[in-house]
Amino acid sequence: MSTATTELRRFLTITGQRFATGQSAPEMFSPAVDKAWHELLGTPAYETLCLETAGQPIRHVANNGHGPIAWVAAYEAAYGPLPETLSKRYIHAGSTP
């Protein structure tokens, strides 16, 4: 499994957790993870992945890389510090990890 796919799994898990607590969908700021997401969209494998990780189907909505990145604390609590590929993008997005 690629790093991007692993991070997509983690992102979908956090998405499911946020939805379960009434929060909004998290923002995806990694082009590599977003690319992996697009490659799976609309496939039976994506449906299965969503059910395994988020407990429900997750729609993909483009946000053009704008907006606050509100889920980093949840990620780091569950998985540790952001991987370098994500943290570089996070810093580039104008936020402080």
Side-chain angles (χ1 to χ4, degrees), residues 72-85:
V72 173
Y75 179 99
E76 290 182 337
Y79 305 112
L82 287 174
E84 187 173 331
T85 55

Side-chain angles (χ1 to χ4, degrees), residues 20-93:
T21 60
Q23 297 178 65
S24 63
E27 310 79 10
M28 173 45 58
F29 55 86
S30 167
V33 176
D34 193 54
K35 182 177 184 233
W37 196 353
H38 279 266
E39 290 171 358
L40 285 171
L41 281 172
T43 68
Y46 182 67
E47 286 183 39
T48 300
L49 178 63
C50 286
L51 293 176
E52 288 174 358
T53 58
Q56 64 183 0
I58 302 297
R59 291 185 317 127
H60 180 284
V61 178
N63 70 1
N64 298 319
H66 297 0
I69 300 168
W71 58 274
V72 173
Y75 179 99
E76 290 182 337
Y79 305 112
L82 287 174
E84 187 173 331
T85 55
L86 288 180
S87 63
K88 282 183 179 178
R89 181 68 180 157
Y90 181 69
I91 292 166
H92 179 70

Side-chain angles (χ1 to χ4, degrees), residues 13 19 25 31 58 70 78 80:
T13 298
F19 285 169
I58 302 297

